[in-house]
Amino acid sequence: MLKIDNLSVKVHDKDVLRKVSLEIKNGETHALLGPNASGKSTLAYTVMGFPDYEIIEGKISFNGRDITGFPIEERAKLGIALAFQHPPAVKGVKLSSLLEKTAKQPVNVKEFPLTLDLLEREVNVGFSGGERKLSEIIQIIGLSPSFVVFDELDAGLDIVNLERLTSIIQEKLLSNGVSILLITHRGNILHYLEPDIVHVMLDGKIVCSSEDWRRVWRTITRYGYEKCKECKFPSGQP
């Protein structure tokens, strides 16, 4: 579904990603682990087509189509969606109105733990961390995407909210064959949304890829991310 070939990216004249290659097939869940400032979010924004993320070399393909030069809106139309680590506040727009305008399919908000008060408030204005993430997930479900990048979904969430939100993702996205890239540096979310393949990014490079996410996470928690450079499953050889 998504194929990234030898991708190098600059942000404001700074080299951030270096020859990154990654392939996610239909219905797969991949996790991208790495410390802060390792390049994970840059990869997410580059996949989505944000203009400040300059591709120096390489390409991005989606369902066999080269989308390297496509703008954000074209990628969204093809079925790519991004959930932000810090969903922005949108003043002057009610959440209910946003869902009505953007949803490609009807969204039954009664299926989600949203209060009517929340629906009639401005998008993410005064929302708690859990409410912001829930709002983001519901918007994505309405878009009916085939591929979603979740950037630090677990950031700022307690266990109760993490369980609740990952349960919604399981039911509404994964069960419908949606492919997912989970970006995280904590790893707690992997216990709720177990990935098919886990990758580790350091200094803008994917240094390790493995089907055994538990082994990788145990290594990280015991020795730190630098130990992943010695991984017996180098990038591209899960």
Side-chain angles (χ1 to χ4, degrees):
M1 171 164 285
L2 180 77
K3 188 173 183 180
I4 298 171
D5 289 315
N6 203 39
L7 191 70
S8 295
V9 174
K10 280 187 175 183
V11 183
H12 304 304
D13 294 325
K14 179 182 179 181
D15 292 323
V16 180
L17 298 183
R18 301 170 178 85
K19 298 184 181 300
V20 172
S21 293
L22 181 67
E23 183 173 354
I24 301 175
K25 298 177 182 178
N26 287 324
E28 286 187 339
T29 297
H30 286 223
L32 182 62
L33 302 174
N36 290 328
S38 59
K40 305 186 303 300
S41 293
T42 293
L43 181 61
Y45 297 148
T46 303
V47 167
M48 199 69 237
F50 279 56
D52 287 340
Y53 296 77
E54 181 185 358
I55 296 177
I56 304 304
E57 65 174 322
K59 71 175 184 177
I60 303 172
S61 301
F62 188 69
N63 286 328
R65 186 176 182 181
D66 186 350
I67 63 168
T68 308
F70 283 26
I72 295 173
E73 60 271 19
E74 290 300 321
R75 301 184 193 210
K77 288 177 182 178
L78 290 175
I80 302 174
L82 168 65
F84 293 95
Q85 177 179 358
H86 303 291
V90 184
K91 294 184 178 181
V93 180
K94 293 180 181 179
L95 179 56
S96 58
S97 299
L98 182 64
L99 292 173
E100 290 174 4
K101 295 292 184 181
T102 61
K104 292 182 180 179
Q105 62 178 11
V107 179
N108 183 5
V109 295
K110 293 181 180 179
E111 297 179 354
F112 307 99
L114 272 175
T115 65
L116 292 177
D117 174 65
L118 201 64
L119 287 169
E120 295 309 310
R121 287 162 55 188
E122 296 173 308
V123 178
N124 294 333
V125 176
F127 285 19
S128 68
E131 289 171 339
R132 282 184 177 236
K133 296 296 178 76
L134 178 59
S135 167
E136 192 92 333
I137 290 172
I138 293 174
Q139 292 170 50
I140 284 175
I141 291 170
L143 292 173
S144 191
S146 54
F147 177 78
V148 181
V149 181
F150 284 101
D151 188 12
E152 302 284 3
L153 174 65
D154 48 349
L157 293 181
D158 57 32
I159 294 298
V160 173
N161 274 307
L162 184 59
E163 289 180 347
R164 179 175 65 170
L165 297 183
T166 52
S167 176
I168 293 171
I169 292 170
Q170 289 273 12
E171 179 184 352
K172 300 296 183 180
L173 295 174
L174 291 178
S175 64
N176 291 318
V178 175
S179 300
I180 287 177
L181 176 61
L182 294 171
I183 292 176
T184 181
H185 71 272
R186 293 171 178 82
N188 293 335
I189 194 172
L190 305 184
H191 295 278
Y192 301 94
L193 296 174
E194 295 195 12
D196 298 290
I197 298 176
V198 64
H199 311 273
V200 177
M201 177 172 279
L202 295 174
D203 300 322
K205 299 178 181 179
I206 294 180
V207 298
C208 172
S209 297
S210 174
E211 294 176 353
D212 189 353
W213 73 265
R214 294 181 185 275
R215 182 188 64 81
V216 172
W217 185 240
R218 283 196 303 267
T219 300
I220 291 168
T221 53
R222 185 171 182 179
Y223 301 107
Y225 277 105
E226 288 298 316
K227 187 70 173 178
C228 292
K229 291 181 179 179
E230 304 172 19
C231 180
K232 68 178 182 178
F233 299 115
S235 175
Q237 301 179 38

